[in-house]
Amino acid sequence: VYTLYYSPATASMVVHLALLEIGAPYKLEKVEFDQPRDPAYLGLNPQGQVPTLVADGRAITESAAILLWLAERHPEAGLAPLPGDPLRGEYLQWTVSLSNSLLATFRLWFYPRDLGHEEHPPELRAALCSRIEASWQRIDAALAARGPYLLGERFSSADLLLTMLMRWSRNMPRSALAWPALARLAALVRVRPSWQELYQLEDLKEW
Ligand SMILES: N[C@@H](CCC(=O)N[C@@H](CS)C(=O)NCC(=O)O)C(=O)O
């Protein structure tokens, strides 16, 4: 049984979605962001962030790493092209680039304190916003050329990661849904049973 340390609608969402897609038994442990982190939790995740997945007594952090790990461990769920599959390289490329560019920029967008600010100065806010929009532009062009998923006809956990990130843009000046190929992918992911079940389990409302 896996244990997922999570907080609703945050970066743990994509791991929760993957667990639902896999159908593996798991326990949820909610991390309350408005309280100091339990020292026991800091032992699992020294940054005090979510997600953390505990499996076989070991903790794994970093949403993208957990996704790769789960997809490999549960090949029957079809969440990833496995080693040897011609699409493997592209799958890794999307997963890593979504994590280290888009997710990392969102982290700065949502956590000005990471850069020592209470609130971002307007020029920094604008720069982060335009960096995120440039990513939407680039990914939308790739999907328009060969979609509807990041791997063309083949759905993968990278699409779950992308849709979670798109969701985070919903209150930004320009939501990711303004890009047509991104909107098409989000529509496909949002009708999946995993997405709908997650909304109930994490009590989410808005897209
Ligand atoms: N790179 C990490 C980022 C994790 C992250 O930033 N999690 C946020 C929620 S989206 C968090 O735990 N925030 C609470 C905090 O930083 O205190 C990942 O992808 O897992």
Side-chain angles (χ1 to χ4, degrees):
V1 175
Y2 296 122
T3 304
L4 173 63
Y5 291 83
Y6 86 112
S7 173
T10 67
S12 54
M13 180 176 175
V14 70
V15 177
H16 199 176
L17 284 166
L19 288 168
L20 292 168
E21 290 275 345
I22 289 165
Y26 66 90
K27 271 189 350 192
L28 286 177
E29 291 284 348
K30 192 167 173 181
V31 175
E32 301 292 349
F33 282 0
D34 54 0
Q35 287 166 28
R37 294 298 174 277
D38 184 341
Y41 187 62
L42 292 174
L44 299 175
N45 184 326
Q47 288 177 289
Q49 298 177 352
V50 295
T52 302
L53 187 77
V54 176
D56 308 329
R58 286 175 186 269
I60 316 170
T61 65
E62 285 299 328
S63 52
I66 302 171
L67 273 188
L68 297 173
W69 188 86
L70 279 173
E72 201 170 292
R73 189 153 145 141
H74 297 277
E76 70 293 345
L79 288 177
L82 298 171
D85 189 307
L87 287 173
R88 178 77 177 168
E90 221 179 326
Y91 166 74
L92 294 174
Q93 172 222 295
W94 278 119
T95 303
V96 171
S97 92
L98 288 172
S99 168
N100 80 0
S101 64
L102 201 43
L103 191 148
T105 310
F106 267 113
R107 168 85 207 180
L108 296 177
W109 173 262
F110 287 123
Y111 291 91
R113 67 157 197 252
D114 281 10
L115 295 176
H117 299 141
E118 192 66 39
E119 253 183 57
H120 285 316
E123 63 280 12
L124 179 53
R125 204 179 144 75
L128 290 171
C129 189
S130 79
R131 197 175 146 86
I132 289 171
E133 290 182 3
S135 291
W136 298 142
Q137 187 64 37
R138 179 176 56 85
I139 302 167
D140 185 74
L143 290 173
R146 188 173 69 96
Y149 298 109
L150 287 168
L151 302 180
E153 294 296 324
R154 176 148 177 196
F155 167 77
S156 74
S157 63
D159 300 304
L160 298 176
L161 183 55
L162 175 56
T163 309
M164 175 186 81
L165 295 167
M166 288 171 62
R167 184 177 186 275
W168 292 355
S169 74
R170 69 190 183 283
N171 297 321
M172 293 185 70
R174 200 165 170 216
S175 149
L177 296 183
W179 281 266
L182 286 173
R184 184 170 63 145
L185 183 143
L188 290 170
V189 171
R190 289 167 68 187
V191 296
R192 295 182 76 83
S194 63
W195 189 272
Q196 304 190 0
E197 203 179 337
L198 178 119
Y199 263 58
Q200 292 193 346
L201 293 169
E202 296 199 2
D203 195 23
L204 305 186
K205 302 281 185 278
E206 352 71 274
W207 128 256

mmCIF file of all heavy atoms in Angstrom, residues 94-138:
data_model
loop_
_atom_site.group_PDB
_atom_site.id
_atom_site.type_symbol
_atom_site.label_atom_id
_atom_site.label_comp_id
_atom_site.label_asym_id
_atom_site.label_seq_id
_atom_site.Cartn_x
_atom_site.Cartn_y
_atom_site.Cartn_z
ATOM 1 N N TRP A 94 9.427 15.225 -22.354
ATOM 2 C CA TRP A 94 8.290 16.045 -21.927
ATOM 3 C C TRP A 94 8.171 16.085 -20.403
ATOM 4 O O TRP A 94 7.944 17.136 -19.812
ATOM 5 C CB TRP A 94 6.980 15.504 -22.528
ATOM 6 C CG TRP A 94 6.737 15.954 -23.939
ATOM 7 C CD1 TRP A 94 6.622 15.162 -25.041
ATOM 8 C CD2 TRP A 94 6.577 17.307 -24.400
ATOM 9 N NE1 TRP A 94 6.408 15.937 -26.152
ATOM 10 C CE2 TRP A 94 6.369 17.240 -25.797
ATOM 11 C CE3 TRP A 94 6.585 18.560 -23.779
ATOM 12 C CZ2 TRP A 94 6.167 18.381 -26.580
ATOM 13 C CZ3 TRP A 94 6.393 19.698 -24.558
ATOM 14 C CH2 TRP A 94 6.189 19.609 -25.937
ATOM 15 N N THR A 95 8.347 14.930 -19.783
ATOM 16 C CA THR A 95 8.177 14.886 -18.324
ATOM 17 C C THR A 95 9.209 15.783 -17.642
ATOM 18 O O THR A 95 8.876 16.583 -16.760
ATOM 19 C CB THR A 95 8.296 13.434 -17.813
ATOM 20 O OG1 THR A 95 7.316 12.645 -18.495
ATOM 21 C CG2 THR A 95 8.069 13.344 -16.322
ATOM 22 N N VAL A 96 10.451 15.671 -18.089
ATOM 23 C CA VAL A 96 11.512 16.466 -17.460
ATOM 24 C C VAL A 96 11.324 17.949 -17.791
ATOM 25 O O VAL A 96 11.433 18.811 -16.919
ATOM 26 C CB VAL A 96 12.909 15.951 -17.887
ATOM 27 C CG1 VAL A 96 13.995 16.898 -17.412
ATOM 28 C CG2 VAL A 96 13.147 14.558 -17.324
ATOM 29 N N SER A 97 11.004 18.268 -19.030
ATOM 30 C CA SER A 97 10.902 19.692 -19.358
ATOM 31 C C SER A 97 9.678 20.335 -18.685
ATOM 32 O O SER A 97 9.750 21.469 -18.221
ATOM 33 C CB SER A 97 10.965 19.941 -20.866
ATOM 34 O OG SER A 97 9.687 19.961 -21.422
ATOM 35 N N LEU A 98 8.577 19.601 -18.580
ATOM 36 C CA LEU A 98 7.422 20.184 -17.872
ATOM 37 C C LEU A 98 7.788 20.450 -16.418
ATOM 38 O O LEU A 98 7.397 21.458 -15.834
ATOM 39 C CB LEU A 98 6.213 19.240 -17.936
ATOM 40 C CG LEU A 98 5.520 19.121 -19.295
ATOM 41 C CD1 LEU A 98 4.476 18.000 -19.255
ATOM 42 C CD2 LEU A 98 4.868 20.436 -19.703
ATOM 43 N N SER A 99 8.564 19.534 -15.838
ATOM 44 C CA SER A 99 8.905 19.680 -14.431
ATOM 45 C C SER A 99 9.941 20.781 -14.202
ATOM 46 O O SER A 99 9.778 21.639 -13.337
ATOM 47 C CB SER A 99 9.440 18.339 -13.921
ATOM 48 O OG SER A 99 10.016 18.499 -12.666
ATOM 49 N N ASN A 100 11.010 20.769 -15.004
ATOM 50 C CA ASN A 100 12.085 21.706 -14.653
ATOM 51 C C ASN A 100 11.909 23.091 -15.260
ATOM 52 O O ASN A 100 12.598 24.025 -14.862
ATOM 53 C CB ASN A 100 13.472 21.100 -14.919
ATOM 54 C CG ASN A 100 13.893 21.168 -16.366
ATOM 55 O OD1 ASN A 100 13.172 21.665 -17.223
ATOM 56 N ND2 ASN A 100 15.068 20.649 -16.646
ATOM 57 N N SER A 101 10.999 23.242 -16.211
ATOM 58 C CA SER A 101 10.774 24.608 -16.687
ATOM 59 C C SER A 101 9.418 25.124 -16.219
ATOM 60 O O SER A 101 9.330 26.020 -15.387
ATOM 61 C CB SER A 101 10.958 24.725 -18.199
ATOM 62 O OG SER A 101 9.989 23.958 -18.876
ATOM 63 N N LEU A 102 8.335 24.494 -16.703
ATOM 64 C CA LEU A 102 7.012 25.050 -16.395
ATOM 65 C C LEU A 102 6.659 24.947 -14.906
ATOM 66 O O LEU A 102 6.263 25.940 -14.285
ATOM 67 C CB LEU A 102 5.991 24.331 -17.277
ATOM 68 C CG LEU A 102 4.658 24.993 -17.542
ATOM 69 C CD1 LEU A 102 4.755 26.463 -17.852
ATOM 70 C CD2 LEU A 102 3.948 24.267 -18.683
ATOM 71 N N LEU A 103 6.814 23.766 -14.344
ATOM 72 C CA LEU A 103 6.450 23.610 -12.930
ATOM 73 C C LEU A 103 7.332 24.505 -12.051
ATOM 74 O O LEU A 103 6.858 25.150 -11.114
ATOM 75 C CB LEU A 103 6.539 22.142 -12.517
ATOM 76 C CG LEU A 103 5.933 21.784 -11.159
ATOM 77 C CD1 LEU A 103 5.366 20.364 -11.165
ATOM 78 C CD2 LEU A 103 6.906 21.925 -10.009
ATOM 79 N N ALA A 104 8.612 24.577 -12.400
ATOM 80 C CA ALA A 104 9.534 25.396 -11.607
ATOM 81 C C ALA A 104 9.165 26.884 -11.711
ATOM 82 O O ALA A 104 9.282 27.626 -10.727
ATOM 83 C CB ALA A 104 10.965 25.169 -12.067
ATOM 84 N N THR A 105 8.705 27.308 -12.883
ATOM 85 C CA THR A 105 8.297 28.717 -13.022
ATOM 86 C C THR A 105 6.995 28.971 -12.248
ATOM 87 O O THR A 105 6.833 30.014 -11.608
ATOM 88 C CB THR A 105 8.126 29.095 -14.511
ATOM 89 O OG1 THR A 105 9.288 28.683 -15.217
ATOM 90 C CG2 THR A 105 7.949 30.594 -14.674
ATOM 91 N N PHE A 106 6.088 28.015 -12.296
ATOM 92 C CA PHE A 106 4.866 28.149 -11.493
ATOM 93 C C PHE A 106 5.192 28.240 -10.006
ATOM 94 O O PHE A 106 4.548 28.974 -9.263
ATOM 95 C CB PHE A 106 3.917 26.967 -11.724
ATOM 96 C CG PHE A 106 2.890 27.220 -12.789
ATOM 97 C CD1 PHE A 106 2.905 26.513 -13.976
ATOM 98 C CD2 PHE A 106 1.892 28.170 -12.606
ATOM 99 C CE1 PHE A 106 1.963 26.744 -14.959
ATOM 100 C CE2 PHE A 106 0.930 28.406 -13.586
ATOM 101 C CZ PHE A 106 0.972 27.691 -14.764
ATOM 102 N N ARG A 107 6.178 27.482 -9.587
ATOM 103 C CA ARG A 107 6.579 27.523 -8.172
ATOM 104 C C ARG A 107 6.952 28.971 -7.804
ATOM 105 O O ARG A 107 6.523 29.496 -6.774
ATOM 106 C CB ARG A 107 7.739 26.546 -7.959
ATOM 107 C CG ARG A 107 8.472 26.648 -6.646
ATOM 108 C CD ARG A 107 7.833 25.879 -5.516
ATOM 109 N NE ARG A 107 8.187 26.504 -4.249
ATOM 110 C CZ ARG A 107 7.798 26.102 -3.056
ATOM 111 N NH1 ARG A 107 7.017 25.045 -2.920
ATOM 112 N NH2 ARG A 107 8.149 26.734 -1.977
ATOM 113 N N LEU A 108 7.730 29.625 -8.665
ATOM 114 C CA LEU A 108 8.112 31.015 -8.385
ATOM 115 C C LEU A 108 6.889 31.928 -8.446
ATOM 116 O O LEU A 108 6.756 32.864 -7.656
ATOM 117 C CB LEU A 108 9.171 31.490 -9.388
ATOM 118 C CG LEU A 108 10.510 30.751 -9.332
ATOM 119 C CD1 LEU A 108 11.445 31.262 -10.418
ATOM 120 C CD2 LEU A 108 11.163 30.902 -7.956
ATOM 121 N N TRP A 109 5.999 31.653 -9.373
ATOM 122 C CA TRP A 109 4.784 32.468 -9.522
ATOM 123 C C TRP A 109 3.942 32.410 -8.237
ATOM 124 O O TRP A 109 3.462 33.413 -7.748
ATOM 125 C CB TRP A 109 3.983 31.948 -10.732
ATOM 126 C CG TRP A 109 2.631 32.579 -10.925
ATOM 127 C CD1 TRP A 109 1.423 32.084 -10.541
ATOM 128 C CD2 TRP A 109 2.350 33.827 -11.567
ATOM 129 N NE1 TRP A 109 0.406 32.934 -10.889
ATOM 130 C CE2 TRP A 109 0.947 34.014 -11.532
ATOM 131 C CE3 TRP A 109 3.147 34.807 -12.173
ATOM 132 C CZ2 TRP A 109 0.319 35.133 -12.071
ATOM 133 C CZ3 TRP A 109 2.504 35.920 -12.715
ATOM 134 C CH2 TRP A 109 1.118 36.081 -12.657
ATOM 135 N N PHE A 110 3.793 31.214 -7.697
ATOM 136 C CA PHE A 110 2.934 31.046 -6.519
ATOM 137 C C PHE A 110 3.655 31.291 -5.197
ATOM 138 O O PHE A 110 3.000 31.469 -4.176
ATOM 139 C CB PHE A 110 2.329 29.638 -6.490
ATOM 140 C CG PHE A 110 1.231 29.418 -7.517
ATOM 141 C CD1 PHE A 110 1.326 28.400 -8.450
ATOM 142 C CD2 PHE A 110 0.099 30.229 -7.527
ATOM 143 C CE1 PHE A 110 0.314 28.188 -9.383
ATOM 144 C CE2 PHE A 110 -0.916 30.037 -8.451
ATOM 145 C CZ PHE A 110 -0.808 29.015 -9.392
ATOM 146 N N TYR A 111 4.985 31.256 -5.219
ATOM 147 C CA TYR A 111 5.731 31.402 -3.959
ATOM 148 C C TYR A 111 6.769 32.521 -4.053
ATOM 149 O O TYR A 111 7.985 32.240 -4.097
ATOM 150 C CB TYR A 111 6.423 30.085 -3.573
ATOM 151 C CG TYR A 111 5.449 29.002 -3.176
ATOM 152 C CD1 TYR A 111 4.942 28.115 -4.111
ATOM 153 C CD2 TYR A 111 5.023 28.879 -1.853
ATOM 154 C CE1 TYR A 111 4.034 27.125 -3.748
ATOM 155 C CE2 TYR A 111 4.127 27.891 -1.480
ATOM 156 C CZ TYR A 111 3.637 27.021 -2.442
ATOM 157 O OH TYR A 111 2.746 26.045 -2.075
ATOM 158 N N PRO A 112 6.319 33.790 -4.027
ATOM 159 C CA PRO A 112 7.266 34.908 -4.079
ATOM 160 C C PRO A 112 8.323 34.793 -2.980
ATOM 161 O O PRO A 112 9.458 35.221 -3.156
ATOM 162 C CB PRO A 112 6.389 36.149 -3.855
ATOM 163 C CG PRO A 112 4.996 35.726 -4.150
ATOM 164 C CD PRO A 112 4.919 34.238 -3.929
ATOM 165 N N ARG A 113 7.961 34.146 -1.879
ATOM 166 C CA ARG A 113 8.914 34.041 -0.766
ATOM 167 C C ARG A 113 10.171 33.249 -1.159
ATOM 168 O O ARG A 113 11.223 33.426 -0.556
ATOM 169 C CB ARG A 113 8.250 33.432 0.474
ATOM 170 C CG ARG A 113 7.860 31.980 0.314
ATOM 171 C CD ARG A 113 7.742 31.244 1.652
ATOM 172 N NE ARG A 113 7.759 29.818 1.431
ATOM 173 C CZ ARG A 113 6.690 29.023 1.555
ATOM 174 N NH1 ARG A 113 5.526 29.510 1.941
ATOM 175 N NH2 ARG A 113 6.804 27.734 1.330
ATOM 176 N N ASP A 114 10.064 32.391 -2.166
ATOM 177 C CA ASP A 114 11.256 31.657 -2.630
ATOM 178 C C ASP A 114 12.331 32.634 -3.103
ATOM 179 O O ASP A 114 13.517 32.311 -3.106
ATOM 180 C CB ASP A 114 10.923 30.714 -3.796
ATOM 181 C CG ASP A 114 10.253 29.420 -3.325
ATOM 182 O OD1 ASP A 114 9.879 29.335 -2.138
ATOM 183 O OD2 ASP A 114 10.097 28.500 -4.161
ATOM 184 N N LEU A 115 11.888 33.811 -3.565
ATOM 185 C CA LEU A 115 12.839 34.824 -4.034
ATOM 186 C C LEU A 115 12.961 35.961 -3.021
ATOM 187 O O LEU A 115 13.461 37.037 -3.342
ATOM 188 C CB LEU A 115 12.388 35.376 -5.393
ATOM 189 C CG LEU A 115 12.387 34.367 -6.544
ATOM 190 C CD1 LEU A 115 11.830 34.987 -7.819
ATOM 191 C CD2 LEU A 115 13.794 33.833 -6.805
ATOM 192 N N GLY A 116 12.470 35.699 -1.818
ATOM 193 C CA GLY A 116 12.618 36.685 -0.751
ATOM 194 C C GLY A 116 11.606 37.824 -0.798
ATOM 195 O O GLY A 116 11.801 38.856 -0.166
ATOM 196 N N HIS A 117 10.530 37.653 -1.557
ATOM 197 C CA HIS A 117 9.518 38.711 -1.656
ATOM 198 C C HIS A 117 8.240 38.314 -0.922
ATOM 199 O O HIS A 117 7.872 37.141 -0.906
ATOM 200 C CB HIS A 117 9.123 38.960 -3.123
ATOM 201 C CG HIS A 117 10.250 39.411 -3.982
ATOM 202 N ND1 HIS A 117 10.423 38.981 -5.265
ATOM 203 C CD2 HIS A 117 11.274 40.256 -3.742
ATOM 204 C CE1 HIS A 117 11.498 39.536 -5.793
ATOM 205 N NE2 HIS A 117 12.038 40.313 -4.878
ATOM 206 N N GLU A 118 7.607 39.328 -0.380
ATOM 207 C CA GLU A 118 6.257 39.148 0.149
ATOM 208 C C GLU A 118 5.297 38.991 -1.038
ATOM 209 O O GLU A 118 4.448 38.113 -1.086
ATOM 210 C CB GLU A 118 5.905 40.400 0.965
ATOM 211 C CG GLU A 118 4.679 40.315 1.828
ATOM 212 C CD GLU A 118 4.849 39.305 2.966
ATOM 213 O OE1 GLU A 118 5.968 39.223 3.557
ATOM 214 O OE2 GLU A 118 3.872 38.615 3.239
ATOM 215 N N GLU A 119 5.499 39.902 -1.985
ATOM 216 C CA GLU A 119 4.766 39.885 -3.254
ATOM 217 C C GLU A 119 5.748 40.228 -4.350
ATOM 218 O O GLU A 119 6.657 41.028 -4.113
ATOM 219 C CB GLU A 119 3.695 40.981 -3.240
ATOM 220 C CG GLU A 119 2.295 40.439 -3.099
ATOM 221 C CD GLU A 119 1.277 41.551 -3.156
ATOM 222 O OE1 GLU A 119 1.253 42.290 -4.156
ATOM 223 O OE2 GLU A 119 0.526 41.686 -2.170
ATOM 224 N N HIS A 120 5.557 39.695 -5.535
ATOM 225 C CA HIS A 120 6.513 39.985 -6.605
ATOM 226 C C HIS A 120 6.440 41.448 -7.042
ATOM 227 O O HIS A 120 5.333 41.984 -7.191
ATOM 228 C CB HIS A 120 6.208 39.131 -7.835
ATOM 229 C CG HIS A 120 6.620 37.701 -7.688
ATOM 230 N ND1 HIS A 120 7.829 37.334 -7.152
ATOM 231 C CD2 HIS A 120 6.009 36.552 -8.029
ATOM 232 C CE1 HIS A 120 7.926 36.015 -7.171
ATOM 233 N NE2 HIS A 120 6.828 35.512 -7.677
ATOM 234 N N PRO A 121 7.587 42.069 -7.310
ATOM 235 C CA PRO A 121 7.545 43.372 -7.970
ATOM 236 C C PRO A 121 6.889 43.195 -9.351
ATOM 237 O O PRO A 121 7.041 42.116 -9.955
ATOM 238 C CB PRO A 121 9.021 43.758 -8.131
ATOM 239 C CG PRO A 121 9.827 42.739 -7.409
ATOM 240 C CD PRO A 121 8.946 41.570 -7.074
ATOM 241 N N PRO A 122 6.155 44.205 -9.823
ATOM 242 C CA PRO A 122 5.372 44.046 -11.062
ATOM 243 C C PRO A 122 6.186 43.536 -12.247
ATOM 244 O O PRO A 122 5.718 42.703 -13.021
ATOM 245 C CB PRO A 122 4.837 45.457 -11.352
ATOM 246 C CG PRO A 122 4.935 46.189 -10.060
ATOM 247 C CD PRO A 122 5.994 45.538 -9.223
ATOM 248 N N GLU A 123 7.441 43.999 -12.386
ATOM 249 C CA GLU A 123 8.205 43.567 -13.580
ATOM 250 C C GLU A 123 8.559 42.076 -13.503
ATOM 251 O O GLU A 123 8.599 41.380 -14.523
ATOM 252 C CB GLU A 123 9.448 44.449 -13.822
ATOM 253 C CG GLU A 123 10.510 44.450 -12.753
ATOM 254 C CD GLU A 123 10.198 45.354 -11.546
ATOM 255 O OE1 GLU A 123 9.047 45.841 -11.386
ATOM 256 O OE2 GLU A 123 11.122 45.562 -10.742
ATOM 257 N N LEU A 124 8.763 41.585 -12.289
ATOM 258 C CA LEU A 124 9.068 40.164 -12.138
ATOM 259 C C LEU A 124 7.817 39.325 -12.405
ATOM 260 O O LEU A 124 7.858 38.287 -13.084
ATOM 261 C CB LEU A 124 9.613 39.893 -10.727
ATOM 262 C CG LEU A 124 9.946 38.443 -10.403
ATOM 263 C CD1 LEU A 124 10.874 37.839 -11.445
ATOM 264 C CD2 LEU A 124 10.586 38.345 -9.023
ATOM 265 N N ARG A 125 6.708 39.824 -11.899
ATOM 266 C CA ARG A 125 5.431 39.150 -12.138
ATOM 267 C C ARG A 125 5.161 39.037 -13.641
ATOM 268 O O ARG A 125 4.794 37.983 -14.157
ATOM 269 C CB ARG A 125 4.342 40.009 -11.468
ATOM 270 C CG ARG A 125 3.108 39.271 -11.110
ATOM 271 C CD ARG A 125 2.109 40.214 -10.444
ATOM 272 N NE ARG A 125 0.763 39.842 -10.857
ATOM 273 C CZ ARG A 125 0.138 38.780 -10.395
ATOM 274 N NH1 ARG A 125 0.697 38.020 -9.474
ATOM 275 N NH2 ARG A 125 -1.063 38.478 -10.840
ATOM 276 N N ALA A 126 5.397 40.130 -14.334
ATOM 277 C CA ALA A 126 5.167 40.141 -15.792
ATOM 278 C C ALA A 126 6.133 39.176 -16.487
ATOM 279 O O ALA A 126 5.754 38.468 -17.431
ATOM 280 C CB ALA A 126 5.339 41.558 -16.339
ATOM 281 N N ALA A 127 7.366 39.136 -16.014
ATOM 282 C CA ALA A 127 8.358 38.245 -16.644
ATOM 283 C C ALA A 127 7.978 36.779 -16.444
ATOM 284 O O ALA A 127 8.080 35.957 -17.368
ATOM 285 C CB ALA A 127 9.747 38.525 -16.075
ATOM 286 N N LEU A 128 7.524 36.445 -15.240
ATOM 287 C CA LEU A 128 7.127 35.051 -14.975
ATOM 288 C C LEU A 128 5.916 34.678 -15.825
ATOM 289 O O LEU A 128 5.845 33.586 -16.398
ATOM 290 C CB LEU A 128 6.823 34.855 -13.484
ATOM 291 C CG LEU A 128 8.036 34.924 -12.548
ATOM 292 C CD1 LEU A 128 7.587 34.950 -11.087
ATOM 293 C CD2 LEU A 128 8.983 33.746 -12.787
ATOM 294 N N CYS A 129 4.993 35.635 -15.908
ATOM 295 C CA CYS A 129 3.782 35.402 -16.690
ATOM 296 C C CYS A 129 4.143 35.174 -18.159
ATOM 297 O O CYS A 129 3.662 34.228 -18.795
ATOM 298 C CB CYS A 129 2.872 36.622 -16.523
ATOM 299 S SG CYS A 129 1.274 36.394 -17.208
ATOM 300 N N SER A 130 5.033 35.985 -18.688
ATOM 301 C CA SER A 130 5.334 35.820 -20.109
ATOM 302 C C SER A 130 6.161 34.553 -20.346
ATOM 303 O O SER A 130 6.043 33.914 -21.390
ATOM 304 C CB SER A 130 5.975 37.073 -20.712
ATOM 305 O OG SER A 130 7.314 37.127 -20.371
ATOM 306 N N ARG A 131 6.942 34.148 -19.365
ATOM 307 C CA ARG A 131 7.670 32.885 -19.500
ATOM 308 C C ARG A 131 6.690 31.699 -19.535
ATOM 309 O O ARG A 131 6.857 30.758 -20.324
ATOM 310 C CB ARG A 131 8.623 32.750 -18.310
ATOM 311 C CG ARG A 131 9.708 31.741 -18.515
ATOM 312 C CD ARG A 131 10.662 31.764 -17.337
ATOM 313 N NE ARG A 131 11.160 30.428 -17.088
ATOM 314 C CZ ARG A 131 12.215 29.902 -17.701
ATOM 315 N NH1 ARG A 131 12.900 30.603 -18.541
ATOM 316 N NH2 ARG A 131 12.574 28.667 -17.453
ATOM 317 N N ILE A 132 5.677 31.752 -18.700
ATOM 318 C CA ILE A 132 4.664 30.684 -18.695
ATOM 319 C C ILE A 132 3.896 30.682 -20.019
ATOM 320 O O ILE A 132 3.683 29.644 -20.646
ATOM 321 C CB ILE A 132 3.733 30.831 -17.466
ATOM 322 C CG1 ILE A 132 4.517 30.472 -16.197
ATOM 323 C CG2 ILE A 132 2.486 29.967 -17.606
ATOM 324 C CD1 ILE A 132 3.820 30.776 -14.884
ATOM 325 N N GLU A 133 3.536 31.886 -20.489
ATOM 326 C CA GLU A 133 2.790 31.962 -21.752
ATOM 327 C C GLU A 133 3.640 31.464 -22.924
ATOM 328 O O GLU A 133 3.122 30.825 -23.851
ATOM 329 C CB GLU A 133 2.297 33.386 -22.000
ATOM 330 C CG GLU A 133 1.188 33.763 -21.023
ATOM 331 C CD GLU A 133 0.619 35.153 -21.253
ATOM 332 O OE1 GLU A 133 1.045 35.829 -22.215
ATOM 333 O OE2 GLU A 133 -0.251 35.563 -20.458
ATOM 334 N N ALA A 134 4.936 31.728 -22.883
ATOM 335 C CA ALA A 134 5.812 31.237 -23.962
ATOM 336 C C ALA A 134 5.830 29.705 -23.970
ATOM 337 O O ALA A 134 5.878 29.081 -25.034
ATOM 338 C CB ALA A 134 7.221 31.794 -23.787
ATOM 339 N N SER A 135 5.754 29.108 -22.784
ATOM 340 C CA SER A 135 5.675 27.639 -22.724
ATOM 341 C C SER A 135 4.371 27.152 -23.347
ATOM 342 O O SER A 135 4.364 26.173 -24.098
ATOM 343 C CB SER A 135 5.734 27.142 -21.281
ATOM 344 O OG SER A 135 6.992 27.362 -20.746
ATOM 345 N N TRP A 136 3.271 27.826 -23.014
ATOM 346 C CA TRP A 136 1.983 27.399 -23.607
ATOM 347 C C TRP A 136 2.071 27.462 -25.138
ATOM 348 O O TRP A 136 1.597 26.573 -25.839
ATOM 349 C CB TRP A 136 0.815 28.268 -23.126
ATOM 350 C CG TRP A 136 0.519 28.245 -21.657
ATOM 351 C CD1 TRP A 136 0.135 29.315 -20.892
ATOM 352 C CD2 TRP A 136 0.529 27.114 -20.755
ATOM 353 N NE1 TRP A 136 -0.069 28.934 -19.590
ATOM 354 C CE2 TRP A 136 0.161 27.593 -19.482
ATOM 355 C CE3 TRP A 136 0.830 25.759 -20.912
ATOM 356 C CZ2 TRP A 136 0.089 26.762 -18.363
ATOM 357 C CZ3 TRP A 136 0.754 24.919 -19.789
ATOM 358 C CH2 TRP A 136 0.388 25.420 -18.547
ATOM 359 N N GLN A 137 2.677 28.532 -25.619
ATOM 360 C CA GLN A 137 2.796 28.732 -27.061
ATOM 361 C C GLN A 137 3.580 27.566 -27.702
ATOM 362 O O GLN A 137 3.167 26.989 -28.699
ATOM 363 C CB GLN A 137 3.531 30.069 -27.288
ATOM 364 C CG GLN A 137 3.600 30.544 -28.709
ATOM 365 C CD GLN A 137 2.220 30.848 -29.256
ATOM 366 O OE1 GLN A 137 1.345 31.349 -28.541
ATOM 367 N NE2 GLN A 137 1.998 30.488 -30.518
ATOM 368 N N ARG A 138 4.673 27.236 -27.079
ATOM 369 C CA ARG A 138 5.559 26.195 -27.601
ATOM 370 C C ARG A 138 4.865 24.817 -27.547
ATOM 371 O O ARG A 138 4.894 24.049 -28.508
ATOM 372 C CB ARG A 138 6.830 26.184 -26.740
ATOM 373 C CG ARG A 138 7.885 25.165 -27.097
ATOM 374 C CD ARG A 138 9.137 25.351 -26.212
ATOM 375 N NE ARG A 138 8.872 25.298 -24.779
ATOM 376 C CZ ARG A 138 8.801 24.184 -24.062
ATOM 377 N NH1 ARG A 138 8.964 23.018 -24.637
ATOM 378 N NH2 ARG A 138 8.564 24.214 -22.764
#
